[in-house]
């Protein structure tokens, strides 16, 4: 077992992003020339979750990670929510504590689509799907593909074990994941995770569910908060959209077969511009595993129905699930979204502006761009549609 970990580690280390800096730099330059504009800096700062029980979701982070409670609410929907909670996940560095990711948990009026479905129903589907994995009725479920990824330093594995909390650790003891209670998301940690008791090792040990994955070229991330993963229906469309709008860069090689093969998971990965090797968006097409109650196609259809209403005055509860990226100006993004006829929402929050939109056809990818600058459109006060 130790030997396998050592081999895996050496593979991870010797193919770290540094080895490809020259090559990647060239392709980044080519993209900028092609588009004739300078790629914007997009800094991942946090995530917003729709939660059926914000205090409880936050408590999960406070107990099992290095998170501490914070009072601020620099996110869309904070003041409009009936219940809310926020935490800041930290890491310890030589010079003290450093913030890794701010997390917001919001409960708001729940918009319903024509089938009378709301976020409440999708939370229940994610909850029951996760439970069926923990009970080993399923090896995996596509709901799990909605997650952020941290290096293991933000996890309190000792407390998971003390509470005998259901958790999923892959065979090499290097990938672990847990369900964020009362939300539609899970969280993934990368790095060594070692149960002390045989009982917990048995409880959290699962087969490798990544059907058809080649792990030989996996890399050790260079930063603690290194990725956001999204379940999508068309990974190439999601990638194309990220390359166009965000000027993201495709990450190669692809660890799964592409185009998608029968019984295989398929993915497209991109890195945010000017951050190569430091932050990635992963788009996952999983038609291998199934779900309990409601699945990803229904979830995305729900949001498509909302966007078809054509409203730009209010977002719905679905959009409270978003990844928050900070940038210098929202104008270029608003302009490009208009050119692409993609609906977006521009709001004023505290002393800054926020632009929200969902990827067309892959609506589970919802981003909240925040900036101190917006002049292209007049922002509205935040409203949540019911
Ligand atoms: C899952 O849903 C059940 C029923 O609504 C609830 O009692 C339980 O707390 C939920 N579990 C988690 C981990 O969110
Ligand atoms: C995915 O989207 C691309 C456009 O980016 C399109 O060419 C392709 O046909 C789509 N694939 C499926 C299976 O719909």
């Amino acid at each position: 077992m130790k030997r396998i970990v050592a081999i895996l580690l050496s593979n991870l280390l010797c193919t770290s992003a540094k080895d490809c800096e020259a090559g990647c730099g060239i392709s980044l330059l080519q993209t900028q020339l092609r588009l004739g504009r300078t790629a914007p800096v997009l800094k991942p700062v946090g995530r917003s979750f729709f939660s059926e029980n914000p205090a409880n979701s936050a408590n999960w982070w406070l107990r099992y990670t290095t998170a501490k409670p914070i009072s601020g609410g620099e996110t869309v929907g904070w003041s409009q929510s009936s219940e809310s909670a926020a935490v800041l996940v930290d890491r310890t560095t030589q010079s003290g504590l450093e913030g890794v990711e701010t997390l917001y948990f919001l409960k708001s009026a729940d918009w319903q689509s024509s089938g009378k479905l709301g976020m409440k129903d999708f939370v229940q589907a994610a909850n029951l799907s996760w439970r069926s994995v923990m009970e080993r009725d399923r090896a995996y479920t596509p709901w799990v593909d909605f997650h952020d990824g941290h290096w293991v330093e933000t996890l309190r594995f000792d407390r998971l074990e003390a509470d005998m909390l259901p958790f999923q650790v892959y065979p090499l003891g290097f990938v672990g994941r847990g369900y964020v209670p009362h939300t539609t998301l899970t969280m993934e940690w990368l790095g060594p995770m070692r149960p002390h008791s045989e009982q917990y090792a048995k409880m959290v040990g699962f087969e490798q569910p990544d059907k058809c994955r080649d792990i030989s070229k996996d890399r050790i991330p260079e930063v603690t908060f290194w990725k956001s993963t999204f379940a999508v229906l068309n990974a190439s469309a999601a990638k194309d959209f990220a390359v166009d709008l965000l000027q993201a860069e495709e990450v190669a090689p692809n660890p799964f077969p592409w185009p998608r093969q029968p019984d295989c998971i398929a993915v497209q990965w991109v890195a945010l511009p000017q951050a190569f090797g430091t932050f990635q968006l992963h788009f996952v097409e999983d038609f291998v595993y199934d779900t309990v109650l409601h699945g990803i196609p229904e979830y995305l259809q729900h949001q498509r129905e909302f966007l078809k209403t054509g409203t730009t005055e209010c977002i719905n509860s679905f959009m409270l699930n978003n990844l928050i990226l900070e940038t210098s100006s929202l104008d270029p993004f608003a302009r490009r979204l208009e050119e692409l006829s993609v609906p977006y929402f521009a709001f004023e929050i505290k002393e800054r502006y926020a632009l929200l939109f969902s990827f067309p056809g892959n609506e589970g990818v919802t981003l909240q761009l925040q900036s101190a600058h917006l002049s292209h459109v007049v922002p509205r006060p935040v409203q949540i549609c019911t």
Side-chain angles (χ1 to χ4, degrees), residues 27-248:
S27 79
L28 183 64
L29 186 67
Q30 281 167 344
T31 304
Q32 286 173 8
L33 291 174
R34 194 168 67 236
L35 296 172
R37 45 187 177 139
T38 313
V41 173
L42 288 159
K43 185 179 165 221
V45 291
R47 167 169 289 284
S48 165
F49 299 75
F50 175 89
S51 172
E52 276 287 296
N53 185 338
N56 198 293
S57 302
N59 279 339
W60 185 87
W61 284 90
L62 295 173
R63 169 121 187 103
Y64 301 114
T65 77
T66 56
K68 61 171 194 285
I70 53 169
S71 55
E74 296 234 329
T75 191
V76 165
W78 180 264
S79 309
Q80 293 70 32
S81 296
S82 55
E83 293 171 41
S84 57
V87 304
L88 173 64
V89 184
D90 279 326
R91 73 184 194 108
T92 309
T93 68
Q94 278 166 347
S95 47
L97 285 183
E98 182 186 276
V100 169
E101 187 180 6
T102 304
L103 307 173
Y104 302 101
F105 305 95
L106 308 174
K107 180 174 184 173
S108 75
D110 199 9
W111 183 82
Q112 300 208 322
S113 46
S114 56
K116 292 265 170 273
L117 289 180
M119 283 302 287
K120 195 172 184 281
D121 302 291
F122 295 116
V123 166
Q124 205 189 352
N127 170 326
L128 294 179
S129 296
W130 172 256
R131 191 185 300 178
S132 83
V133 174
M134 291 297 99
E135 288 172 357
R136 293 166 206 268
D137 293 336
R138 282 175 173 67
Y140 198 77
T141 163
W143 279 109
V144 173
D145 292 328
F146 286 112
H147 62 257
D148 286 346
H150 284 183
W151 183 246
V152 74
E153 66 194 317
T154 65
L155 179 66
R156 303 283 311 261
F157 193 81
D158 55 332
R159 291 188 175 171
L160 291 175
E161 179 157 8
D163 294 355
M164 295 297 282
L165 199 85
F167 196 74
Q168 182 180 34
V169 178
Y170 288 12
L172 294 173
F174 211 76
V175 176
R177 55 182 81 254
Y179 171 62
V180 183
H182 315 292
T183 73
T184 55
L185 285 95
T186 54
M187 181 66 196
E188 179 186 295
W189 282 274
L190 203 58
M193 275 159 259
R194 288 191 196 88
H196 288 288
S197 72
E198 222 165 277
Q199 196 192 355
Y200 197 55
K202 208 167 156 197
M203 182 177 162
V204 301
F206 285 82
E207 292 297 310
Q208 155 75 274
D210 289 356
K211 282 277 177 66
C212 312
R213 182 173 186 158
D214 169 11
I215 61 166
S216 69
K217 302 216 169 49
D218 281 7
R219 294 172 181 157
I220 295 272
E222 293 179 12
V223 288
T224 306
F225 176 27
W226 73 281
K227 71 156 180 183
S228 254
T229 300
F230 303 88
V232 297
L233 295 180
N234 184 329
S236 66
K239 180 203 68 181
D240 290 347
F241 189 73
V243 167
D244 181 324
L245 182 73
L246 309 175
Q247 300 190 48

Side-chain angles (χ1 to χ4, degrees), residues 12-32:
L12 287 165
L13 292 170
C14 70
T15 55
S16 90
K18 292 225 163 47
D19 297 345
C20 88
E21 245 166 27
C24 306
I26 287 165
S27 79
L28 183 64
L29 186 67
Q30 281 167 344
T31 304
Q32 286 173 8

